[in-house]
Amino acid sequence: MSYPAFFDQAPAITLHDGLSQFLGAFSDGMITYHYIDAVRLAGHSCPTVAGAYLMTRRALALLYPDQTPERGKVQVRFASAADEGVTGVIGSVVSLITGAAGPGGFKGIGRNFRRQDLMYFSCAIESEASFERVDTGESVQLAMNMGRVQGDPRGGTLLRKLLEGVATPQEGEEFATLWQDRVRRILIEHADDPELISVNAATV
């Protein structure tokens, strides 16, 4: 499987998952996610997938300063509906990393390890997404500002030609390279940029 090298250079996210430890999937319960995991889930790499990955990373860092985040113990709410814009894509990446799920999520074992009803959409919140620790009630509200990292202007022309079916194979390769270069800059050069992932409210 061949993919851009920067996928492996993007910052990793490590969490502790009590359920995985309880059931013996990982003996110590430690799970590390990489950007390639989000790409495998979404089936593609784009600014939205990269932004969702970084937003989740930022939220967990704020909620668990100097601690290992706990997977399955964060409730996530989105201002938009699941089928509005790219909210569903963002939600799937957030769910992958945090374990938070909607009505179809894991119901738990006894009263433990529940992931069901930890993700909600169409919520009355002040920002794009809210992340809240279920144990302490501490929360952060974040927004993705992907316009912070602009794509190469040549990409728009190439995209139109591709969609019209008149692009050459070389132009298709050039478009893909330009597209992924923007994703690279988001993940590598702007991973900790407070203007890319902004904090609009916090109780931590």
Side-chain angles (χ1 to χ4, degrees):
M1 183 172 61
S2 176
Y3 55 84
F6 75 84
F7 285 13
D8 293 330
Q9 298 164 0
I13 304 172
T14 298
L15 308 91
H16 176 264
D17 189 322
L19 176 60
S20 72
Q21 185 173 4
F22 183 81
L23 295 179
F26 299 99
S27 60
D28 60 359
M30 301 301 291
I31 303 177
T32 297
Y33 289 97
H34 300 273
Y35 179 62
I36 186 64
D37 296 314
V39 174
R40 288 190 179 104
L41 174 72
H44 67 283
S45 169
C46 70
T48 295
V49 174
Y53 183 85
L54 292 179
M55 181 169 67
T56 307
R57 172 177 175 262
R58 175 70 167 151
L60 293 174
L62 290 168
L63 291 174
Y64 294 89
D66 304 317
Q67 303 174 53
T68 300
E70 288 289 337
R71 190 172 187 271
K73 294 189 177 181
V74 175
Q75 182 181 89
V76 184
R77 291 176 292 167
F78 292 95
S80 299
D83 60 353
E84 181 178 340
V86 294
T87 304
V89 176
I90 296 170
S92 66
V93 174
V94 173
S95 179
L96 168 72
I97 299 168
T98 66
F106 182 63
K107 296 179 181 179
I109 301 175
R111 296 183 179 181
N112 303 303
F113 311 125
R114 180 179 64 86
R115 280 75 193 286
Q116 183 186 48
D117 296 330
L118 286 180
M119 181 171 285
Y120 296 91
F121 297 89
S122 301
C123 300
I125 56 177
E126 299 175 7
S127 190
E128 184 173 355
S130 170
F131 296 73
E132 179 181 335
R133 287 181 57 165
V134 298
D135 56 345
T136 66
E138 295 175 303
S139 66
V140 293
Q141 293 191 27
L142 305 174
M144 294 164 41
N145 307 307
M146 306 319 295
R148 169 75 169 158
V149 181
Q150 294 291 323
D152 189 296
R154 291 174 292 171
T157 299
L158 291 169
L159 175 60
R160 285 191 293 274
K161 295 183 71 174
L162 284 164
L163 294 176
E164 293 169 2
V166 297
T168 66
Q170 293 76 19
E171 288 174 324
E173 292 177 3
E174 182 182 7
F175 169 77
T177 297
L178 293 176
W179 180 272
Q180 290 306 322
D181 183 66
R182 182 184 177 201
V183 179
R184 179 194 63 78
R185 287 183 284 122
I186 289 169
L187 287 168
I188 306 301
E189 298 174 13
H190 293 266
D192 298 304
D193 186 346
E195 295 187 30
L196 181 77
I197 306 297
S198 61
V199 180
N200 295 348
T203 61
V204 295

